[in-house]
Amino acid sequence: MDLKVGVIGTGAIGIEHIRRINEKVQGAFVTAVSDINIEQATKLANQINAVFFETGEELIASSNVDIVVVTSWDPTHEKYVLEAIKHGKYVFCEKPLATDSAGCKRIVDAEIAAGKKLVQVGFMRRYDRGYIELKRAIETRQFGEPLMLHCAHRNPTADENYLTPMAIINTGIHEIDALRWLLQEDYVSAQMILPKQTSFTHEKLHDPQVLILETTSGIHIDLEIFVNCQFGYDIKCDVVCETGEIGLEDPAYTHIKSKGKNYTEISPDWQTRFVEAYDYEFELWVRSIQTGKLAGPTAWDGYVAAVTMDACGKARESGEKVKIQLEDCPALYK
Ligand code: NAI
Ligand code: ISE
């Protein structure tokens, strides 16, 4: 029987995920939506023949909803995930799981009390072909030990609602999770550097920012987060090993030779750059629920990312290198 999906948050990524569930993913379809923007959500509900709920809580409680997708704004994730756990329903939550580690810990504790993994976090980089190939190459140690990672996360523009802390909480969190997963190592410290600003930013956003992380074995990571870079959506990850370098290649959409120039297009946005990763992520999420074996990024992964995120906040404020200490991973997540 196909799984009935309820989606909370019908903005940019909510609509993308609804389309992929209804048009690409086998074994599930969207039966319910909710959003504080009633006009937008009811219109969409009518288009896809789904029921509109005025609150996320009502949607989660509905017998017409088997599993839940949370794609509302970052600060609203925690309450909806806790509500889904309360109802014993599987929930896919876009990143961040909560906006700080205390919020993520409440989710971890609720899941442990429920005695079952119900939560998956939307860390879709783990489903991107480039990152998967990088991980394999690192694991084989064919180029020796990884020593340094040079990364960049660039967006063309950010609006006035995008504030300084979001460089980590909303953007850099992708690398914080993906690099820990790539290297299979936790972080021991974080440092933030605030370089000269672009004239394209506004007064409540320091842009760009640089994050420096160190892992348990001493691997150095530098990540540039630049959300008003103007030229496109650009993701870089170069892993320098003892005898070689392994790097992500931006998927090439078009190669152009014209007017004496020879160039490749740059992805315009996250929708285009990671479309295949999102599709694969949802295909596997639905399949894992059907087989009863949730295998994607867990609430614990969301929590560990948030501990790092908190350290970045302190590092930005103090200008110091901040230590990162984790508790032991609970048995449910081992
Ligand atoms: P958006 O602003 O386009 O859409 C968010 C929607 O949530 C809006 O329609 C808003 O009215 C609704 N909303 C806000 N508070 C709500 C509440 N309490 N209950 C119900 N609906 C509520 O934002 P976007 O870009 O779609 O982002 C949504 C979430 O997805 C964010 O948490 C963001 O971090 C994450 N995201 C993840 C991406 C990824 O690459 N994995 C890419 C883009 C977004
Ligand atoms: C957005 O929410 C995403 O998650 C995108 O992947 C990221 O590139 C962007 O910076 C975020 O705002």
Side-chain angles (χ1 to χ4, degrees):
M1 269 259 284
D2 283 355
L3 292 162
K4 293 177 278 184
V5 188
V7 179
I8 304 172
T10 54
I13 205 165
I15 291 175
E16 293 271 323
H17 287 342
I18 288 169
R19 284 207 189 107
R20 68 175 39 89
I21 292 166
N22 282 350
E23 294 167 19
K24 295 183 176 175
V25 173
Q26 299 285 315
F29 66 107
V30 177
T31 53
V33 297
S34 180
D35 198 295
I36 51 168
N37 185 337
I38 297 175
E39 199 187 324
Q40 167 199 285
T42 42
K43 195 171 154 205
L44 178 73
N46 291 335
Q47 281 167 2
I48 61 167
N49 210 12
V51 180
F52 167 75
F53 285 92
E54 280 209 7
T55 70
E57 286 80 359
E58 288 170 273
L59 175 147
I60 293 166
S62 167
S63 58
N64 203 26
V65 168
D66 299 322
I67 59 177
V68 179
V69 172
V70 178
T71 45
S72 45
W73 292 326
D74 297 355
T76 66
H77 293 179
E78 180 189 345
K79 67 172 178 175
Y80 292 135
V81 173
L82 286 172
E83 191 69 14
I85 295 173
K86 200 169 96 189
H87 285 80
K89 294 190 179 178
Y90 286 104
V91 53
F92 175 96
C93 179
E94 265 307 338
K95 39 55 62 176
L97 180 58
T99 49
D100 61 16
S101 62
C104 291
K105 187 65 177 21
R106 285 189 282 273
I107 291 172
V108 164
D109 290 344
E111 216 182 21
I112 292 172
K116 186 181 175 188
K117 275 197 264 180
L118 293 167
V119 180
Q120 178 163 329
V121 186
F123 289 134
M124 83 299 181
R125 302 271 181 105
R126 297 184 184 205
Y127 301 88
D128 176 72
R129 180 176 164 182
Y131 279 101
I132 292 170
E133 287 181 8
L134 267 185
K135 184 166 162 65
R136 279 196 207 117
I138 292 170
E139 276 168 2
T140 61
R141 294 293 191 267
Q142 57 188 296
F143 306 110
E145 287 293 316
L147 307 173
M148 292 172 287
L149 276 71
H150 306 302
C151 309
H153 188 152
R154 297 174 179 148
N155 294 180
T157 53
D159 65 25
E160 66 286 355
N161 298 314
Y162 190 107
L163 311 177
T164 293
M166 292 171 75
I168 294 297
I169 295 173
N170 187 266
T171 298
I173 189 168
H174 280 296
E175 276 83 5
I176 288 175
D177 175 72
L179 306 182
R180 169 177 166 263
W181 167 81
L182 265 188
L183 298 167
Q184 292 292 296
E185 284 190 35
D186 284 319
Y187 305 122
V188 293
S189 72
Q191 206 181 339
M192 294 286 304
I193 293 168
L194 300 176
K196 178 171 175 173
Q197 299 207 57
T198 168
S199 59
F200 290 95
T201 192
H202 56 84
E203 63 174 15
K204 292 188 176 160
L205 168 63
H206 193 111
D207 189 39
Q209 300 180 30
V210 176
L211 165 61
I212 303 200
L213 291 165
E214 192 189 343
T215 71
T216 42
S217 78
I219 300 171
H220 164 99
I221 296 168
D222 48 83
L223 167 65
E224 167 203 313
I225 301 154
F226 186 14
V227 294
N228 283 292
C229 81
Q230 307 298 306
F231 59 78
Y233 188 87
D234 191 30
I235 303 297
K236 291 154 74 115
C237 179
D238 291 324
V239 183
V240 183
C241 301
E242 288 171 300
T243 64
E245 185 186 278
I246 331 160
L248 273 186
E249 201 51 62
D250 198 10
Y253 297 98
T254 324
H255 186 83
I256 298 166
K257 287 181 188 171
S258 168
K259 295 182 182 161
K261 290 191 179 135
N262 182 353
Y263 59 95
T264 352
E265 296 283 320
I266 301 173
S267 301
D269 48 36
W270 47 265
Q271 288 94 326
T272 320
R273 169 63 181 83
F274 286 110
V275 61
E276 283 161 10
Y278 297 119
D279 289 352
Y280 189 34
E281 175 186 45
F282 268 80
E283 188 190 317
L284 292 190
W285 179 57
V286 168
R287 205 188 301 158
S288 72
I289 292 170
Q290 287 167 329
T291 55
K293 286 185 192 138
L294 215 58
T298 63
W300 180 254
D301 294 318
Y303 168 71
V304 173
V307 169
T308 311
M309 212 160 81
D310 289 354
C312 294
K314 286 188 193 137
R316 190 191 297 108
E317 273 166 33
S318 65
E320 305 285 321
K321 189 194 264 193
V322 172
K323 274 195 184 161
I324 298 174
Q325 267 168 333
L326 287 170
E327 304 150 43
D328 284 345
C329 178
L332 184 64
Y333 305 103
K334 274 182 180 152

